[in-house]
Amino acid sequence: MKVSVGRPGSRAVLTLCTALAMSLTSVIMPAVQAAAEAAPSAGAPAAGLPSGRTDYRSLADYENDLSELARRNPSLVKPITLPERTREGRLVRGVEITDKAARRDGKPVLLVVGMHHGNEWPSGEVTMEFALDLVRKYGRDRQITGLLKKTRIVLVPIVNVDGFVKNTRRNANNVDMNRNYGFGWGESPPYEGAAPWSEPETRNVRDLISSRQVTTFLTMHTCLGNMLYPPLQHKAGLPPDIAAFRSFADAMGTQNGYFHTTSADDYETSGEVIDWSYYATRGLGVTVEVCTTPLTLPRTFQSLVVDQYLGTNGYEGKGIRGSFVTALQQAADREAHSVISGKAPRGAVLRISKDFPLWTNPVAQPDGTTRPVAFANHLSSSMEVSERSGHFTWD
Ligand SMILES: [Zn+2]
Protein backbone atom coordinates (compact mmCIF):
# COMPACT_ATOMS: atom_id res chain seq x y z
CA MET A 1 0.00 0.00 0.00
CA LYS A 2 1.32 3.43 -0.91
CA VAL A 3 0.06 6.75 0.40
CA SER A 4 1.25 9.93 -1.21
CA VAL A 5 0.47 13.58 -0.78
CA GLY A 6 0.94 16.54 -3.06
CA ARG A 7 -0.12 20.16 -3.27
CA PRO A 8 -2.77 20.72 -5.91
CA GLY A 9 -1.00 20.96 -9.22
CA SER A 10 2.33 19.83 -7.82
CA ARG A 11 3.98 16.62 -8.83
CA ALA A 12 5.53 15.99 -5.46
CA VAL A 13 4.98 12.51 -4.17
CA LEU A 14 6.29 12.08 -0.66
CA THR A 15 6.23 9.10 1.57
CA LEU A 16 3.68 8.81 4.29
CA CYS A 17 6.10 9.27 7.17
CA THR A 18 7.96 12.32 5.91
CA ALA A 19 5.01 14.14 4.46
CA LEU A 20 2.55 14.03 7.28
CA ALA A 21 2.17 13.40 10.90
CA MET A 22 -0.51 10.99 9.84
CA SER A 23 -1.81 8.55 12.32
CA LEU A 24 -3.46 5.29 11.59
CA THR A 25 -6.15 5.53 14.19
CA SER A 26 -7.65 2.19 13.46
CA VAL A 27 -7.09 -0.61 11.05
CA ILE A 28 -9.92 -2.94 11.64
CA MET A 29 -11.23 -5.28 9.02
CA PRO A 30 -14.93 -5.83 9.24
CA ALA A 31 -15.71 -6.74 12.78
CA VAL A 32 -18.94 -8.47 13.55
CA GLN A 33 -21.61 -5.90 13.02
CA ALA A 34 -24.13 -4.97 15.57
CA ALA A 35 -27.15 -6.57 13.98
CA ALA A 36 -30.53 -5.14 13.38
CA GLU A 37 -30.88 -1.55 14.41
CA ALA A 38 -34.03 0.45 14.69
CA ALA A 39 -36.28 0.36 11.65
CA PRO A 40 -34.82 3.04 9.42
CA SER A 41 -37.54 3.69 6.91
CA ALA A 42 -39.36 6.35 8.88
CA GLY A 43 -41.70 8.67 7.13
CA ALA A 44 -42.75 6.27 4.38
CA PRO A 45 -45.83 7.39 2.56
CA ALA A 46 -48.78 5.03 2.62
CA ALA A 47 -48.40 4.23 -1.05
CA GLY A 48 -46.47 5.26 -4.09
CA LEU A 49 -42.87 5.29 -5.17
CA PRO A 50 -40.77 8.43 -4.67
CA SER A 51 -41.13 9.05 -8.42
CA GLY A 52 -44.83 8.25 -8.42
CA ARG A 53 -44.24 5.91 -11.35
CA THR A 54 -46.61 3.06 -12.14
CA ASP A 55 -44.67 1.47 -15.01
CA TYR A 56 -41.10 0.64 -15.96
CA ARG A 57 -38.70 3.28 -17.17
CA SER A 58 -37.27 3.37 -20.66
CA LEU A 59 -33.57 4.21 -21.09
CA ALA A 60 -34.58 7.78 -21.89
CA ASP A 61 -36.56 7.90 -18.63
CA TYR A 62 -33.53 6.76 -16.64
CA GLU A 63 -31.25 9.27 -18.32
CA ASN A 64 -33.72 12.06 -17.77
CA ASP A 65 -34.25 11.16 -14.11
CA LEU A 66 -30.49 11.00 -13.45
CA SER A 67 -29.84 14.30 -15.23
CA GLU A 68 -32.70 16.12 -13.54
CA LEU A 69 -31.73 14.85 -10.11
CA ALA A 70 -28.24 16.28 -10.55
CA ARG A 71 -29.39 19.50 -12.19
CA ARG A 72 -31.91 20.31 -9.47
CA ASN A 73 -29.72 19.30 -6.53
CA PRO A 74 -26.19 20.34 -7.43
CA SER A 75 -24.89 20.43 -3.86
CA LEU A 76 -26.21 16.94 -3.12
CA VAL A 77 -25.96 15.04 -6.41
CA LYS A 78 -23.00 14.65 -8.75
CA PRO A 79 -23.61 12.99 -12.12
CA ILE A 80 -21.09 10.38 -13.22
CA THR A 81 -20.42 8.57 -16.47
CA LEU A 82 -18.41 5.37 -16.33
CA PRO A 83 -15.16 5.37 -18.31
CA GLU A 84 -16.07 2.98 -21.13
CA ARG A 85 -18.97 2.92 -23.54
CA THR A 86 -20.88 -0.33 -23.87
CA ARG A 87 -20.27 -2.78 -26.72
CA GLU A 88 -22.80 -0.87 -28.80
CA GLY A 89 -21.44 2.53 -27.82
CA ARG A 90 -23.89 3.57 -25.14
CA LEU A 91 -22.94 5.60 -22.08
CA VAL A 92 -23.30 4.10 -18.62
CA ARG A 93 -24.53 6.71 -16.20
CA GLY A 94 -25.05 7.10 -12.49
CA VAL A 95 -25.05 9.57 -9.63
CA GLU A 96 -23.11 10.14 -6.45
CA ILE A 97 -25.19 11.46 -3.57
CA THR A 98 -23.80 13.03 -0.41
CA ASP A 99 -23.76 16.28 1.48
CA LYS A 100 -21.44 18.57 -0.56
CA ALA A 101 -21.22 16.06 -3.39
CA ALA A 102 -18.67 17.98 -5.47
CA ARG A 103 -15.98 17.71 -2.81
CA ARG A 104 -13.27 15.10 -2.98
CA ASP A 105 -13.94 14.01 0.56
CA GLY A 106 -12.80 10.95 2.45
CA LYS A 107 -16.24 9.53 3.22
CA PRO A 108 -16.88 5.80 3.03
CA VAL A 109 -18.81 4.75 -0.07
CA LEU A 110 -21.89 2.59 -0.53
CA LEU A 111 -22.16 1.45 -4.14
CA VAL A 112 -25.47 0.16 -5.49
CA VAL A 113 -25.70 -1.08 -9.08
CA GLY A 114 -28.61 -2.57 -11.00
CA MET A 115 -29.03 -4.65 -14.12
CA HIS A 116 -25.87 -6.60 -14.71
CA HIS A 117 -28.61 -8.67 -16.34
CA GLY A 118 -30.48 -6.46 -18.79
CA ASN A 119 -33.83 -8.20 -18.45
CA GLU A 120 -34.02 -7.84 -14.66
CA TRP A 121 -35.85 -4.54 -14.72
CA PRO A 122 -36.92 -4.22 -11.07
CA SER A 123 -33.21 -4.19 -10.09
CA GLY A 124 -32.74 -0.89 -11.91
CA GLU A 125 -36.04 0.57 -10.76
CA VAL A 126 -35.38 0.13 -7.03
CA THR A 127 -31.87 1.57 -7.46
CA MET A 128 -33.24 4.65 -9.20
CA GLU A 129 -36.07 5.07 -6.71
CA PHE A 130 -33.64 5.02 -3.80
CA ALA A 131 -31.67 7.85 -5.40
CA LEU A 132 -34.87 9.90 -5.61
CA ASP A 133 -35.83 8.90 -2.08
CA LEU A 134 -32.53 10.06 -0.59
CA VAL A 135 -32.70 13.44 -2.26
CA ARG A 136 -36.30 13.92 -1.21
CA LYS A 137 -35.54 13.05 2.40
CA TYR A 138 -32.31 14.99 2.78
CA GLY A 139 -32.96 17.87 5.17
CA ARG A 140 -36.37 16.44 6.13
CA ASP A 141 -35.54 13.04 7.59
CA ARG A 142 -32.96 13.14 10.39
CA GLN A 143 -31.64 9.65 9.80
CA ILE A 144 -31.12 10.08 6.05
CA THR A 145 -29.63 13.54 6.50
CA GLY A 146 -27.19 12.21 9.07
CA LEU A 147 -26.17 9.29 6.88
CA LEU A 148 -25.59 11.52 3.85
CA LYS A 149 -23.26 13.68 5.91
CA LYS A 150 -21.19 10.61 6.80
CA THR A 151 -21.31 8.53 3.63
CA ARG A 152 -21.27 8.88 -0.13
CA ILE A 153 -23.63 6.65 -2.08
CA VAL A 154 -22.93 5.86 -5.71
CA LEU A 155 -25.86 4.50 -7.73
CA VAL A 156 -25.70 3.08 -11.25
CA PRO A 157 -29.15 1.75 -12.17
CA ILE A 158 -28.11 0.01 -15.42
CA VAL A 159 -24.70 -1.63 -15.81
CA ASN A 160 -25.64 -3.57 -18.93
CA VAL A 161 -27.34 -0.85 -20.95
CA ASP A 162 -27.29 -2.76 -24.26
CA GLY A 163 -28.95 -5.76 -22.61
CA PHE A 164 -31.58 -3.52 -21.05
CA VAL A 165 -32.44 -1.91 -24.37
CA LYS A 166 -32.94 -5.36 -25.92
CA ASN A 167 -34.46 -6.84 -22.75
CA THR A 168 -31.87 -9.62 -22.72
CA ARG A 169 -29.84 -11.04 -19.84
CA ARG A 170 -26.45 -10.80 -21.56
CA ASN A 171 -24.67 -7.91 -23.23
CA ALA A 172 -24.41 -7.21 -26.97
CA ASN A 173 -21.46 -9.63 -27.18
CA ASN A 174 -23.63 -12.40 -25.69
CA VAL A 175 -21.55 -12.42 -22.49
CA ASP A 176 -23.09 -12.76 -19.05
CA MET A 177 -21.89 -9.67 -17.16
CA ASN A 178 -21.93 -11.52 -13.88
CA ARG A 179 -19.56 -14.27 -15.05
CA ASN A 180 -16.88 -12.08 -16.66
CA TYR A 181 -15.07 -10.65 -13.58
CA GLY A 182 -11.50 -11.83 -13.22
CA PHE A 183 -11.34 -13.39 -9.79
CA GLY A 184 -11.96 -17.13 -10.14
CA TRP A 185 -13.05 -16.61 -13.76
CA GLY A 186 -13.29 -19.57 -16.10
CA GLU A 187 -15.74 -22.17 -14.80
CA SER A 188 -19.04 -20.80 -16.10
CA PRO A 189 -19.12 -21.59 -19.82
CA PRO A 190 -20.44 -20.75 -22.31
CA TYR A 191 -21.29 -17.11 -21.55
CA GLU A 192 -18.37 -16.00 -19.36
CA GLY A 193 -16.57 -14.19 -22.23
CA ALA A 194 -13.36 -14.96 -24.12
CA ALA A 195 -11.18 -13.77 -21.24
CA PRO A 196 -11.56 -12.24 -17.78
CA TRP A 197 -12.60 -8.59 -18.10
CA SER A 198 -13.23 -9.01 -21.83
CA GLU A 199 -16.28 -6.73 -21.67
CA PRO A 200 -16.37 -2.92 -21.26
CA GLU A 201 -19.34 -3.20 -18.90
CA THR A 202 -17.44 -5.28 -16.34
CA ARG A 203 -14.34 -3.13 -16.67
CA ASN A 204 -16.54 -0.12 -15.89
CA VAL A 205 -17.62 -1.58 -12.57
CA ARG A 206 -14.05 -2.63 -11.81
CA ASP A 207 -12.91 0.96 -12.39
CA LEU A 208 -15.73 2.33 -10.26
CA ILE A 209 -14.79 0.15 -7.28
CA SER A 210 -11.05 0.53 -7.80
CA SER A 211 -11.20 4.33 -7.66
CA ARG A 212 -13.28 4.76 -4.50
CA GLN A 213 -13.27 3.49 -0.95
CA VAL A 214 -16.30 1.25 -1.38
CA THR A 215 -16.83 -0.21 2.08
CA THR A 216 -20.21 -1.70 1.14
CA PHE A 217 -21.50 -2.85 -2.22
CA LEU A 218 -24.90 -4.10 -3.34
CA THR A 219 -25.49 -5.53 -6.80
CA MET A 220 -29.18 -5.84 -7.57
CA HIS A 221 -30.80 -8.72 -9.45
CA THR A 222 -34.18 -10.46 -9.73
CA CYS A 223 -36.09 -12.53 -8.69
CA LEU A 224 -35.14 -14.96 -5.93
CA GLY A 225 -35.95 -12.91 -2.84
CA ASN A 226 -32.59 -13.61 -1.25
CA MET A 227 -29.15 -12.14 -0.56
CA LEU A 228 -25.92 -13.88 -1.56
CA TYR A 229 -22.28 -13.39 -0.61
CA PRO A 230 -19.02 -15.23 -1.35
CA PRO A 231 -17.93 -17.88 -1.98
CA LEU A 232 -19.26 -18.63 -5.45
CA GLN A 233 -17.90 -22.17 -5.29
CA HIS A 234 -17.67 -24.52 -2.32
CA LYS A 235 -14.06 -25.37 -3.10
CA ALA A 236 -13.11 -21.75 -2.30
CA GLY A 237 -14.09 -22.14 1.34
CA LEU A 238 -15.80 -19.50 3.43
CA PRO A 239 -14.48 -15.92 3.27
CA PRO A 240 -12.54 -14.62 6.30
CA ASP A 241 -15.32 -12.11 6.97
CA ILE A 242 -18.17 -14.61 6.85
CA ALA A 243 -19.47 -13.49 10.25
CA ALA A 244 -19.62 -9.88 9.08
CA PHE A 245 -21.40 -10.92 5.87
CA ARG A 246 -23.99 -12.88 7.83
CA SER A 247 -24.53 -10.16 10.37
CA PHE A 248 -24.94 -7.52 7.66
CA ALA A 249 -27.33 -9.73 5.68
CA ASP A 250 -29.30 -10.46 8.85
CA ALA A 251 -29.71 -6.74 9.43
CA MET A 252 -30.85 -6.15 5.84
CA GLY A 253 -33.14 -9.17 6.07
CA THR A 254 -35.07 -7.67 8.96
CA GLN A 255 -35.93 -4.85 6.55
CA ASN A 256 -36.53 -6.59 3.23
CA GLY A 257 -37.69 -9.99 4.48
CA TYR A 258 -35.20 -11.88 2.29
CA PHE A 259 -33.15 -14.82 3.49
CA HIS A 260 -29.41 -15.03 2.89
CA THR A 261 -26.83 -17.66 2.12
CA THR A 262 -23.52 -18.09 0.36
CA SER A 263 -23.72 -17.79 -3.39
CA ALA A 264 -22.32 -21.33 -3.64
CA ASP A 265 -25.20 -22.66 -1.56
CA ASP A 266 -27.62 -21.06 -4.00
CA TYR A 267 -25.87 -22.47 -7.06
CA GLU A 268 -22.22 -22.50 -8.05
CA THR A 269 -20.86 -20.00 -10.57
CA SER A 270 -17.61 -18.13 -11.23
CA GLY A 271 -16.60 -14.63 -12.23
CA GLU A 272 -19.27 -12.69 -10.33
CA VAL A 273 -18.71 -9.11 -9.26
CA ILE A 274 -19.14 -9.72 -5.52
CA ASP A 275 -16.30 -12.23 -5.46
CA TRP A 276 -13.76 -9.98 -7.19
CA SER A 277 -14.85 -6.85 -5.29
CA TYR A 278 -14.65 -8.54 -1.90
CA TYR A 279 -11.30 -10.23 -2.42
CA ALA A 280 -9.79 -7.13 -4.06
CA THR A 281 -11.02 -4.58 -1.51
CA ARG A 282 -12.39 -6.55 1.46
CA GLY A 283 -15.44 -4.30 1.39
CA LEU A 284 -18.57 -6.39 1.86
CA GLY A 285 -20.25 -7.15 -1.47
CA VAL A 286 -23.71 -8.69 -1.55
CA THR A 287 -25.98 -9.78 -4.40
CA VAL A 288 -29.57 -8.82 -3.65
CA GLU A 289 -32.20 -10.73 -5.58
CA VAL A 290 -35.19 -8.40 -5.53
CA CYS A 291 -38.71 -9.87 -5.34
CA THR A 292 -39.89 -13.33 -4.48
CA THR A 293 -42.60 -13.60 -7.11
CA PRO A 294 -44.72 -16.24 -5.46
CA LEU A 295 -46.83 -17.83 -8.12
CA THR A 296 -49.94 -16.63 -6.36
CA LEU A 297 -49.01 -13.02 -7.02
CA PRO A 298 -49.20 -11.32 -10.40
CA ARG A 299 -45.84 -10.33 -11.86
CA THR A 300 -46.63 -6.69 -12.32
CA PHE A 301 -44.83 -3.41 -11.77
CA GLN A 302 -46.96 -3.00 -8.65
CA SER A 303 -45.93 -6.35 -7.15
CA LEU A 304 -42.32 -6.53 -8.38
CA VAL A 305 -41.29 -2.92 -7.89
CA VAL A 306 -43.74 -0.84 -5.86
CA ASP A 307 -44.61 -3.41 -3.20
CA GLN A 308 -41.04 -4.69 -3.00
CA TYR A 309 -39.60 -1.24 -2.62
CA LEU A 310 -42.10 0.09 -0.11
CA GLY A 311 -43.10 -3.08 1.69
CA THR A 312 -46.80 -3.07 0.86
CA ASN A 313 -49.56 -5.45 -0.28
CA GLY A 314 -48.36 -8.60 1.42
CA TYR A 315 -44.85 -7.35 2.21
CA GLU A 316 -45.86 -5.06 5.08
CA GLY A 317 -42.80 -3.76 6.86
CA LYS A 318 -40.51 -5.59 4.45
CA GLY A 319 -39.25 -3.13 1.89
CA ILE A 320 -36.06 -2.90 -0.12
CA ARG A 321 -35.91 0.74 0.88
CA GLY A 322 -35.29 -0.17 4.51
CA SER A 323 -32.48 -2.55 3.59
CA PHE A 324 -30.82 0.16 1.48
CA VAL A 325 -30.78 2.35 4.58
CA THR A 326 -29.25 -0.54 6.53
CA ALA A 327 -26.53 -0.72 3.86
CA LEU A 328 -25.86 3.00 4.30
CA GLN A 329 -25.48 2.40 8.04
CA GLN A 330 -23.11 -0.46 7.32
CA ALA A 331 -21.06 1.75 4.97
CA ALA A 332 -20.84 4.44 7.64
CA ASP A 333 -19.89 2.11 10.49
CA ARG A 334 -16.32 2.82 11.52
CA GLU A 335 -16.16 -0.39 13.52
CA ALA A 336 -16.36 -2.18 10.19
CA HIS A 337 -13.64 -0.48 8.18
CA SER A 338 -10.33 1.32 8.53
CA VAL A 339 -9.94 5.06 9.04
CA ILE A 340 -6.83 7.11 8.37
CA SER A 341 -6.68 10.44 10.16
CA GLY A 342 -4.07 13.15 10.27
CA LYS A 343 -3.18 16.70 9.40
CA ALA A 344 -2.05 18.19 6.09
CA PRO A 345 -2.08 21.60 4.44
CA ARG A 346 -5.55 22.68 3.41
CA GLY A 347 -6.00 21.91 -0.25
CA ALA A 348 -3.48 19.07 -0.23
CA VAL A 349 -4.51 16.07 -2.27
CA LEU A 350 -3.91 12.72 -0.60
CA ARG A 351 -3.65 9.59 -2.69
CA ILE A 352 -3.69 5.99 -1.69
CA SER A 353 -3.01 3.08 -3.98
CA LYS A 354 -2.45 -0.64 -3.90
CA ASP A 355 -1.23 -2.97 -6.64
CA PHE A 356 -1.48 -6.73 -6.40
CA PRO A 357 -2.29 -9.79 -8.49
CA LEU A 358 -5.34 -12.03 -8.23
CA TRP A 359 -6.03 -15.23 -10.15
CA THR A 360 -8.62 -16.88 -12.32
CA ASN A 361 -9.73 -20.47 -11.84
CA PRO A 362 -7.44 -22.99 -13.57
CA VAL A 363 -8.07 -22.51 -17.31
CA ALA A 364 -6.66 -24.23 -20.41
CA GLN A 365 -3.54 -22.57 -21.81
CA PRO A 366 -2.18 -22.50 -25.38
CA ASP A 367 0.73 -24.68 -24.21
CA GLY A 368 -1.68 -27.45 -23.23
CA THR A 369 -1.47 -26.91 -19.48
CA THR A 370 -4.37 -25.92 -17.27
CA ARG A 371 -3.55 -23.36 -14.60
CA PRO A 372 -4.80 -20.17 -12.96
CA VAL A 373 -3.92 -16.95 -14.78
CA ALA A 374 -2.82 -13.92 -12.80
CA PHE A 375 -4.26 -10.49 -13.54
CA ALA A 376 -3.21 -7.13 -12.16
CA ASN A 377 -5.33 -5.08 -9.77
CA HIS A 378 -4.76 -1.37 -9.26
CA LEU A 379 -6.78 0.32 -6.52
CA SER A 380 -6.26 4.07 -6.35
CA SER A 381 -8.29 6.83 -4.79
CA SER A 382 -7.74 10.35 -3.56
CA MET A 383 -9.18 13.01 -1.30
CA GLU A 384 -8.59 16.71 -0.78
CA VAL A 385 -8.03 18.22 2.66
CA SER A 386 -10.78 20.80 3.07
CA GLU A 387 -10.73 21.78 6.74
CA ARG A 388 -8.99 25.03 7.58
CA SER A 389 -7.33 23.28 10.52
CA GLY A 390 -5.85 20.71 8.15
CA HIS A 391 -7.33 17.82 10.07
CA PHE A 392 -8.74 15.08 7.90
CA THR A 393 -10.21 11.66 8.21
CA TRP A 394 -10.28 9.16 5.38
CA ASP A 395 -12.53 6.15 5.63
ZN1 LIG B 1 -29.39 -11.52 -12.40
Side-chain angles (χ1 to χ4, degrees):
M1 186 163 66
K2 183 179 76 183
V3 180
S4 62
V5 58
R7 289 273 190 181
S10 99
R11 299 175 67 189
V13 177
L14 307 172
T15 65
L16 172 64
C17 299
T18 55
L20 292 172
M22 190 187 266
S23 61
L24 294 169
T25 54
S26 62
V27 179
I28 308 165
M29 277 317 295
V32 177
Q33 277 296 110
E37 294 183 35
S41 54
L49 292 169
S51 67
R53 292 193 68 90
T54 56
D55 200 359
Y56 291 101
R57 288 172 171 85
S58 65
L59 181 57
D61 293 332
Y62 275 107
E63 296 199 333
N64 186 59
D65 282 358
L66 290 167
S67 299
E68 281 298 294
L69 202 61
R71 191 181 64 79
R72 292 183 182 183
N73 307 278
S75 66
L76 196 59
V77 182
K78 178 179 155 187
I80 58 168
T81 301
L82 302 197
E84 295 197 51
R85 286 177 179 262
T86 63
R87 279 271 172 187
E88 293 186 337
R90 294 187 173 88
L91 296 173
V92 182
R93 292 198 166 108
V95 284
E96 298 190 7
I97 304 177
T98 189
D99 177 63
K100 301 184 181 71
R103 279 195 185 175
R104 293 165 71 181
D105 56 42
K107 291 174 188 171
V109 172
L110 167 65
L111 172 64
V112 182
V113 303
M115 270 190 272
H116 269 73
H117 295 145
N119 57 352
E120 298 180 358
W121 291 13
S123 73
E125 293 291 338
V126 295
T127 305
M128 190 68 234
E129 292 297 334
F130 191 54
L132 299 173
D133 225 346
L134 288 171
V135 171
R136 194 173 69 169
K137 286 185 174 152
Y138 181 82
R140 298 186 181 93
D141 177 301
R142 260 181 67 189
Q143 182 188 36
I144 296 299
T145 307
L147 284 168
L148 288 179
K149 287 184 185 297
K150 288 192 284 194
T151 59
R152 177 177 294 261
I153 178 168
V154 181
L155 302 115
V156 178
I158 314 174
V159 168
N160 176 8
V161 184
D162 296 345
F164 171 63
V165 168
K166 296 188 182 67
N167 192 22
T168 57
R169 176 181 174 93
R170 296 182 287 274
N171 76 346
N173 196 31
N174 204 21
V175 175
D176 188 325
M177 295 297 90
N178 211 26
R179 304 289 184 270
N180 188 241
Y181 288 82
F183 186 69
W185 178 88
E187 293 195 348
S188 293
Y191 301 117
E192 61 197 358
W197 312 110
S198 60
E199 305 308 304
E201 295 90 347
T202 55
R203 293 195 298 269
N204 269 339
V205 177
R206 178 185 64 185
D207 290 346
L208 192 57
I209 292 173
S210 298
S211 60
R212 289 160 176 80
Q213 299 297 338
V214 179
T215 65
T216 310
F217 171 43
L218 301 181
T219 175
M220 311 304 291
H221 287 256
T222 63
C223 241
L224 299 171
N226 64 14
M227 296 176 284
L228 307 168
Y229 36 77
L232 305 183
Q233 296 177 294
H234 291 294
K235 68 181 180 181
L238 292 173
D241 299 302
I242 186 65
F245 272 115
R246 286 177 174 149
S247 176
F248 173 41
D250 271 344
M252 283 198 292
T254 63
Q255 297 299 320
N256 60 26
Y258 300 159
F259 72 98
H260 61 85
T261 182
T262 69
S263 189
D265 278 339
D266 186 48
Y267 62 95
E268 291 195 303
T269 61
S270 59
E272 290 194 22
V273 64
I274 55 167
D275 215 31
W276 170 77
S277 70
Y278 169 68
Y279 281 101
T281 72
R282 292 292 287 273
L284 300 184
V286 176
T287 299
V288 180
E289 292 272 355
V290 182
C291 52
T292 49
T293 60
L295 294 175
T296 51
L297 282 177
R299 296 170 69 108
T300 63
F301 185 84
Q302 178 70 35
S303 67
L304 297 189
V305 178
V306 181
D307 294 336
Q308 290 287 311
Y309 185 76
L310 298 173
T312 48
N313 291 321
Y315 297 98
E316 272 68 22
K318 301 293 183 190
I320 284 282
R321 165 165 57 189
S323 59
F324 279 150
V325 177
T326 302
L328 264 179
Q329 292 172 322
Q330 169 74 29
D333 183 357
R334 288 186 160 180
E335 296 300 313
H337 61 255
S338 312
V339 180
I340 297 172
S341 66
K343 206 173 168 186
R346 188 184 192 192
V349 175
L350 314 181
R351 293 192 175 81
I352 189 164
S353 64
K354 185 177 180 183
D355 289 273
F356 53 96
L358 287 173
W359 286 266
T360 66
N361 253 300
V363 289
Q365 301 298 302
D367 63 8
T369 62
T370 297
R371 56 188 160 80
V373 176
F375 60 91
N377 295 266
H378 175 65
L379 311 182
S380 178
S381 57
S382 62
M383 69 163 288
E384 186 172 335
V385 178
S386 61
E387 295 295 323
R388 197 161 287 143
S389 69
H391 286 289
F392 68 85
T393 60
W394 196 357
D395 291 67

